[in-house]
């Protein structure tokens, strides 16, 4: 617990940022004390990352300023818009998308920019000694000489944190630090961060995982629509209260009514799919999905999920093994054949694989149904019928945007996903592949996706739910299968720790 | 077969290889520097022409040989600045801008030459760089004439290889250039200027290219002709890939190409009656393509090559 008397080391005063007509941050206030771990919570689009980018000088605020404690112990304004000024003032930032040069070693990435540019040689010995000392003190160890491209995601994140510590950061900002980590890696990260906070480091971490926020932070600050909506000591917080602050209304997770599974809609028997490497291929996968059933595929991304998704979309052909859809062996592995066989796909990357961004909402909605006589006749699109269908689907699925003829790229992520749901569910598919269906969505849109998946299950569809969010899988899936290194194993229990171990490739406990 | 051995046993073949390779060494180093920072510079062909013209013109106007080299380098850096402004802060297509710079630099050079010398029918000559005699080394039988009778520019090219290698591999500046060609966000997040690094690298690289061009008018020949660059710039773009963006490999690639070229000239005189001369002229290019096909399969392009980066857009 932080001492209330610890000095304030960072103050954000009235920070405001506008992107076109969107007010991303509206007079946000924030205080951070020495040795404090502050969790910054909010839905996607609440303005958390924008706020941190202003703090670090990537964005210029439209109003307001940042004050940071100086060597004299007094708060002084930080010049806006200069990352190097923020670095000099002791702010270290670990971005959600790592900012590492993959062709350089970990050591070179850490040292980059920390020494005067114009020198005839670099003092790698001194740098190595300093990094070794930091690693010993913080417990963050990485192989310093290997190129970053060869490091695991967890190691890359440690390099990012070491970069900040090497610059003697006294304030560390972590933007969604656990998004790519296994539960064990995440726990060990927070253990380290907690230890460093006890030594006087102040930490702001952005997250939308309530569990880790409650477990590891000292204080919580919630943003909604770019404004402060509330802060509290973590000791006084509970999930319902935070969720209410984040979305502005109480949301209950939908109950998953028990349901007897029906006939198999998808069977994989020893299916192998070749990929560029072991982590992107499928080896001897066996899976059965029945009607009225949601099967959750858990695992850290890059363990064969993309190969599985490609297989179930008709984009990849198995090298060996058998695949059956609705009890009939699959012969033709083409996306069109799969759509015709009743497979509905919610792709992982909705911007690139889900929609054609420059085409209209209406066109994107009917793009998989061009053979349907309601959509086209004699090779001509029936505009009236398409317009009616679009209006109906947008109303039913709550797709909000500038209108049916506006290009899809103008929709927000949540509305884009709802449009894809409308397209998929409009064809009443028997098997649904939902690949990271709620990634990047705010709570409201994520609930809508979950509700639709449960509806499809009640209607008699089988659902394959690939997700990195274990909480989502635990709340939605009837059965859980864990992927590691291209292999699939069914989890015997719904215990988080056991599943986490399987995700890391260890035998199930 | 005997003829081929005769060619290889003649020290003139080896010294010609180095002479042909010298402008390529400068060019490939320049292209390498630009690309390591993430900018493809297709202006190279035109910058060769501009360097050849400007360097020669400066000497002809009485600035002296080294003054000519300096003028050529500055001219190259100037065209590099145009390319850099278009592609780095403005983020235009590097291909289009580069080809535009080639057209501009080539035409401007011809235009300047014609405007300065409207009535000349035979190109005026200057006194070019002479081969240097190095005490002792130049007198070694075979090796002396083969390797140690080159102009100062060939030695400068070798020094440039060592310098570029040292800067890239051993200095903080080189580290930043390698990083900005891989991930500009990494450089920005560490408080360095992406624009500054890229513009600087493109200007320095273009200056090297122009020095390569000036070798043609100030050492290989003693006058400026239209069409004298003749695709050497494009060869350098290919050699960078062959060299996988490494300075010493770039040197090896340029020397290899120089040797092919020197070899085909001599084969032509041996077999020119039996085989059409064009076959020999083609040979170095065909061999370059084959070498590229082999090397480029494993090519490890700088990740951010061709990708514009804009401040404040993350």
């Amino acid at each position: 617990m932080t001492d209330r008397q610890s000095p304030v080391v960072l103050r954000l005063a009235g920070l405001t940022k506008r992107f076109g007509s969107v007010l991303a941050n509206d007079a946000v206030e924030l205080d951070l004390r020495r040795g404090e771990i502050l969790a910054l919570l909010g839905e996607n689009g609440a303005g958390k990352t924008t706020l941190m980018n202003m703090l670090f000088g990537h964005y210029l605020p439209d109003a307001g300023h940042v004050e940071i404690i100086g060597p004299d112990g007094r708060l002084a304004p930080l010049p806006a818009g200069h990352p190097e000024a923020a670095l000099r003032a002791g702010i270290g930032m670990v971005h959600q998308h790592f900012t590492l040069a993959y062709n350089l070693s970990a050591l070179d990435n850490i040292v980059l920019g920390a020494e005067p540019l114009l020198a005839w040689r670099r003092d790698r010995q001194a740098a190595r000694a300093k990094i070794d000392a930091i690693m010993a003190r913080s417990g963050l160890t990485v192989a310093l000489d290997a190129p970053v491209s060869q490091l695991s995601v967890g190691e890359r994140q440690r390099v990012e944190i070491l970069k900040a510590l090497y610059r003697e950061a006294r304030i560390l900002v972590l933007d969604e630090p656990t998004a790519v980590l296994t539960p064990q890696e995440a726990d060990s990260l927070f253990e380290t961060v907690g230890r460093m906070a006890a030594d006087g480091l102040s930490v702001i971490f952005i997250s939308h995982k309530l569990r880790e926020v409650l477990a590891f932070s000292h204080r919580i600050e919630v943003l909604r629509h770019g404004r402060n909506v509330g802060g509290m000591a973590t000791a006084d917080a509970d999930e319902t209260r935070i969720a209410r602050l984040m979305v502005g209304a109480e949301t209950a997770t939908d109950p998953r009514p028990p349901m007897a599974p029906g006939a198999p809609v998808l069977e994989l028997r020893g299916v192998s799919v070749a990929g560029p490497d072991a982590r992107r291929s499928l080896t001897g996968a066996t899976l059965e999905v029945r009607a009225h059933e949601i099967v959750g595929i858990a695992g850290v991304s890059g363990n064969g999920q993309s190969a599985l998704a490609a297989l179930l979309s008709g984009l990849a052909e198995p090298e060996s093994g058998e695949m059956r859809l609705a009890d009939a062996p699959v012969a033709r592995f083409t996306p069109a054949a799969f759509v015709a066989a009743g497979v509905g796909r919610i792709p992982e990357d909705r911007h690139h694989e889900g929609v054609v961004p420059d085409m209209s909402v209406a066109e994107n909605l009917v793009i998989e149904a061009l053979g349907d006589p309601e959509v086209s006749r004699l090779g001509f699109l029936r505009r009236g019928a398409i317009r009616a269908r679009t209006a109906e689907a947008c109303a039913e699925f709550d797709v909000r945007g500038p209108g049916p003829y506006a290009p899809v790229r103008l929709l927000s992520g949540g509305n884009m996903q709802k449009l894809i749901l409308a397209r998929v569910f409009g064809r009443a598919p028997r098997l649904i592949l939902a690949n990271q269906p709620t990634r990047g969505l705010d709570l409201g849109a994520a609930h809508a996706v979950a509700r639709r998946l449960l509806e499809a299950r009640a209607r008699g569809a089988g659902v394959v739910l690939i997700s990195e969010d274990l909480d989502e899988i635990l709340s939605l899936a009837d059965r859980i299968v864990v992927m590691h290194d291209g292999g699939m194993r069914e989890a015997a229990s719904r215990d988080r720790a056991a599943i986490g171990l399987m995700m890391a490739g260890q035998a199930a406990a | 077969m005997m003829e081929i051995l005769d060619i290889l046993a003649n020290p003139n073949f080896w010294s010609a290889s180095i002479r042909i390779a010298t402008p390529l060494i400068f060019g490939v180093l320049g292209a390498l520097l630009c690309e390591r920072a993430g900018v493809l510079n297709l202006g190279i062909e035109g910058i060769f022409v501009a360097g050849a013209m400007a360097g020669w013109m400066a000497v002809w106007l009485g600035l002296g040989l080294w003054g000519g080299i300096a003028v050529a380098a500055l001219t190259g850096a100037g065209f590099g600045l145009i390319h850099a402004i278009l592609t780095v802060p403005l983020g235009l297509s590097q291909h289009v801008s580069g080809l535009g710079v080639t057209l501009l630099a080539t035409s401007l050079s011809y235009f300047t030459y014609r405007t300065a010398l409207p009535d000349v029918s035979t190109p005026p000559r200057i006194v070019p760089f002479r081969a240097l005699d190095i005490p002792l080394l130049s007198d070694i039988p075979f090796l002396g004439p083969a390797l140690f009778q080159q102009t100062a520019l060939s030695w400068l090219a070798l020094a440039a290889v060592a310098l570029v290698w040292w800067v890239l591999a051993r200095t903080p500046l080189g580290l930043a250039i390698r990083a900005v060609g891989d991930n500009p966000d990494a450089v920005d997040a560490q408080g360095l200027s992406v624009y500054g690094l890229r513009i600087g690298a493109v200007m320095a690289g273009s200056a090297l290219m122009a020095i390569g061009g000036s070798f043609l008018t100030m050492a290989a020949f003693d006058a400026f002709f239209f069409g004298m660059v003749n695709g050497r710039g494009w060869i350098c773009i290919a050699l960078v890939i062959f060299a996988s963006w490494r300075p010493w490999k770039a040197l090896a690639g340029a020397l290899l190409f120089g040797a092919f070229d020197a070899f085909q000239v001599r084969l032509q005189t041996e077999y020119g009656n039996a085989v059409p001369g064009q076959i020999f002229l083609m040979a170095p290019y065909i061999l370059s393509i084959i070498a590229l096909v082999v090397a480029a399969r494993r090519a490890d392009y700088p990740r951010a090559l061709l990708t514009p980066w804009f401040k404040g857009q993350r």
Side-chain angles (χ1 to χ4, degrees):
Chain A
M1 212 51 255
T2 1
D3 184 358
R4 277 277 125 205
Q5 301 314 309
S6 299
V8 171
V9 293
L10 177 74
R11 171 166 291 158
L12 309 188
L15 280 182
T16 301
K17 180 75 186 173
R18 204 179 275 285
F19 293 108
S21 63
V22 181
L23 195 56
N25 280 153
D26 185 6
V28 178
E29 309 274 337
L30 204 66
D31 273 358
L32 181 69
R33 289 173 183 278
R34 174 167 296 154
E36 182 177 49
I37 302 180
L38 173 71
L40 193 56
L41 262 173
E43 292 195 302
N44 283 97
K48 304 171 305 246
T49 300
T50 304
L51 186 68
M52 290 304 109
N53 276 333
M54 279 194 282
L55 164 62
F56 196 65
H58 286 312
Y59 293 152
L60 212 54
D62 294 327
H65 62 275
V66 177
E67 288 175 17
I68 188 159
I69 194 166
D72 57 353
R74 278 210 292 250
L75 288 174
L78 179 74
H82 292 287
E84 66 275 18
L87 283 166
R88 256 201 316 276
I91 300 174
M93 180 142 176
V94 177
H95 296 83
Q96 189 180 356
H97 304 288
F98 297 155
T99 55
L100 295 170
Y102 286 15
N103 59 339
L104 304 182
S105 69
L107 182 124
D108 286 348
N109 266 289
I110 293 167
V111 175
L112 175 66
E115 50 197 345
L117 268 192
L118 298 176
W120 274 112
R121 53 184 312 126
R122 297 168 46 207
D123 196 347
R124 287 171 62 95
Q125 247 43 55
R128 184 181 299 272
K130 184 172 170 186
I131 298 169
D132 280 338
I134 296 169
M135 291 200 297
R137 201 170 66 228
S138 65
L140 296 161
T141 45
V142 289
L144 284 180
D145 295 309
V148 165
S149 56
Q150 290 175 13
L151 300 183
S152 73
V153 177
E155 287 173 309
R156 286 177 196 178
Q157 187 174 53
R158 292 203 282 276
V159 175
E160 285 281 12
I161 299 174
L162 285 170
K163 266 163 69 175
L165 298 180
Y166 186 79
R167 296 286 193 100
E168 276 145 28
R170 289 164 298 138
I171 296 164
L172 186 64
V173 179
L174 303 165
D175 191 354
E176 300 211 11
T178 60
V180 290
L181 303 182
T182 63
Q184 278 80 4
E185 281 176 318
D187 287 353
S188 112
L189 168 71
F190 281 116
E191 208 174 285
T192 310
V193 168
R195 206 165 45 235
M196 293 189 299
D199 285 345
L201 185 76
S202 309
V203 180
I204 300 177
F205 84 91
I206 297 178
S207 179
H208 51 224
K209 295 186 185 166
L210 298 184
R211 190 184 65 86
E212 65 191 31
V213 167
L214 288 171
F216 298 106
S217 70
H218 300 146
R219 196 155 62 82
I220 295 171
E221 187 68 39
V222 184
L223 292 187
R224 186 169 76 236
H225 299 316
R227 294 189 194 93
N228 298 85
V229 290
M232 68 196 85
T234 308
D236 308 332
D238 63 70
E239 288 208 20
T240 340
R241 191 168 158 214
I242 304 174
R244 193 161 53 225
L245 278 174
M246 281 166 72
V247 297
E250 193 138 1
T251 56
T253 42
D254 290 300
R256 185 166 46 90
M259 212 165 267
V265 290
L266 166 74
E267 289 160 275
L268 299 180
R269 293 195 193 127
V271 172
S272 294
V273 175
D277 55 54
R279 292 171 69 86
R280 275 174 288 176
S281 50
L282 217 51
T283 43
T286 297
L287 180 71
E288 188 183 69
V289 179
R290 289 179 287 175
H292 298 295
E293 188 176 53
I294 298 181
V295 176
I297 310 287
V300 177
S301 71
N303 273 294
Q305 290 97 328
S306 56
L308 177 67
L311 176 73
L312 299 186
S313 315
L315 292 167
E317 196 162 338
E319 284 189 320
S320 60
E322 193 194 6
M323 176 171 175
R324 298 171 76 85
L325 281 174
D327 221 22
V330 179
R332 285 178 55 228
F333 287 87
T334 65
F338 275 53
V339 170
V343 180
R345 297 154 307 159
I346 304 171
E348 174 178 18
D349 183 345
R350 53 182 156 271
H351 295 269
H352 291 110
E353 288 171 19
V355 294
V356 185
D358 283 326
M359 282 168 59
S360 72
V361 172
E363 287 166 333
N364 271 284
L365 186 71
V366 298
I367 206 162
E368 276 185 0
L370 293 178
D372 187 336
E374 262 185 48
V375 171
S376 74
R377 197 162 45 189
L378 300 171
F380 291 94
L381 292 174
R382 302 177 62 183
R383 291 174 57 85
I386 292 173
R387 181 211 290 263
R389 194 178 184 154
T390 307
E392 198 181 303
C394 287
E396 192 192 336
F397 284 84
D398 191 28
V399 181
R400 288 179 221 174
Y405 295 115
V408 162
R409 68 183 146 77
L410 298 180
L411 299 187
S412 72
N415 282 307
M416 214 180 266
Q417 191 72 318
K418 287 188 219 162
L419 175 67
I420 293 170
L421 290 179
R423 181 171 72 203
V424 169
F425 290 111
R427 300 178 61 79
R430 278 184 288 187
L431 174 70
I432 294 164
L433 164 68
N435 194 358
Q436 316 287 358
T438 62
R439 180 190 279 170
L441 299 189
D442 59 39
L443 271 182
H447 276 299
V449 172
R451 194 161 46 82
R452 294 290 173 181
L453 291 178
L454 288 171
E455 274 174 24
R457 165 179 177 264
R459 206 194 62 232
V463 179
V464 177
L465 169 66
I466 303 178
S467 178
E468 276 166 41
D469 184 348
L470 197 48
D471 294 318
E472 174 175 79
I473 286 184
L474 286 170
S475 78
L476 285 177
D478 298 295
R479 289 190 293 123
I480 298 172
V481 172
V482 179
M483 292 200 80
H484 179 75
D485 261 354
M488 302 173 83
R489 272 187 312 160
E490 178 139 9
S493 79
R494 302 176 77 86
D495 174 43
R496 299 185 65 90
I499 294 172
L501 284 174
M502 288 175 73
M503 282 162 69
Q506 296 177 38
Chain B
M1 273 323 284
M2 278 319 288
E3 290 88 348
I4 292 173
L5 288 179
D6 279 348
I7 291 175
L8 294 181
N10 187 338
N12 283 336
F13 162 73
W14 297 99
S15 71
S17 301
I18 296 174
R19 196 167 58 242
I20 295 168
T22 300
L24 300 180
I25 296 172
F26 283 113
V28 73
L29 276 181
L32 182 150
L33 203 53
C34 298
E35 292 182 26
R36 270 301 181 103
V39 181
L40 176 70
N41 190 352
L42 292 184
I44 184 169
E45 181 80 6
I47 292 172
F48 258 81
V49 179
M53 209 292 296
W56 172 86
M57 181 78 76
V59 178
W60 186 68
L61 291 173
L63 273 183
L65 286 170
W66 290 105
I69 295 294
V71 168
L74 284 175
T75 309
F79 283 108
L81 180 63
I82 295 176
H83 182 57
I85 286 176
L86 291 176
T87 55
V88 178
L90 296 179
L92 302 187
S93 156
Q94 297 180 4
H95 290 106
V96 174
S97 164
L99 292 175
V101 167
T102 281
L103 294 175
L104 176 73
T106 307
S107 313
L108 260 184
S109 304
Y110 292 170
F111 177 76
T112 311
Y113 180 80
R114 265 287 162 245
T115 317
L117 304 160
D119 319 309
V120 208
S121 53
T122 47
R125 293 165 179 279
I126 58 167
V127 180
F129 280 100
R130 297 279 177 220
L132 296 177
D133 268 330
I134 299 174
L136 300 178
L137 288 180
S138 297
D139 304 328
I140 304 172
F142 185 79
L143 282 183
L147 302 180
F148 298 110
Q149 290 183 2
Q150 296 294 334
T151 65
L153 284 185
S154 293
W155 297 109
L156 184 67
L158 196 64
V161 174
L163 180 73
V164 170
W165 168 75
W166 179 269
V167 167
L168 282 177
R170 294 293 167 88
T171 69
L173 181 64
L175 181 67
I177 291 173
R178 284 184 285 144
V180 83
D182 186 82
N183 186 1
D185 282 335
V187 170
D188 184 52
Q190 292 286 67
L192 298 172
S193 164
V194 173
Y195 292 165
L197 284 166
R198 286 192 161 171
I199 292 173
V202 171
M203 288 179 71
S206 303
L208 284 171
M209 295 169 185
I211 296 177
S214 73
F215 176 87
L216 298 175
T217 48
M218 296 166 60
F221 304 99
D222 52 8
F224 178 75
F225 308 99
F226 289 4
M228 74 188 304
V229 171
N230 196 19
R232 284 179 174 85
W234 306 136
I235 288 292
C236 292
I237 294 290
L239 283 174
V240 178
I241 302 168
F242 174 78
S244 30
W245 296 267
R246 289 175 204 288
W248 292 109
K249 280 194 181 174
L251 173 67
L255 287 172
L256 199 63
F257 185 88
F260 284 156
D261 206 26
F263 197 65
Q264 64 88 10
V265 171
R266 283 156 180 78
L267 274 187
Q268 224 174 323
T269 52
E270 293 287 345
Y271 299 106
N273 296 331
V275 186
Q278 285 83 352
I279 297 284
F280 297 107
L281 285 173
M282 263 181 347
Y285 298 92
I286 289 177
L287 283 170
S288 313
I289 291 172
I290 293 172
L292 262 183
V293 168
V294 174
R297 291 176 68 88
R298 285 191 303 272
D300 197 7
Y301 284 83
R303 270 200 313 146
L305 187 63
L306 300 178
T307 318
W309 179 91
F310 299 103
K311 182 141 187 80
Q313 277 187 18
R314 304 184 56 81

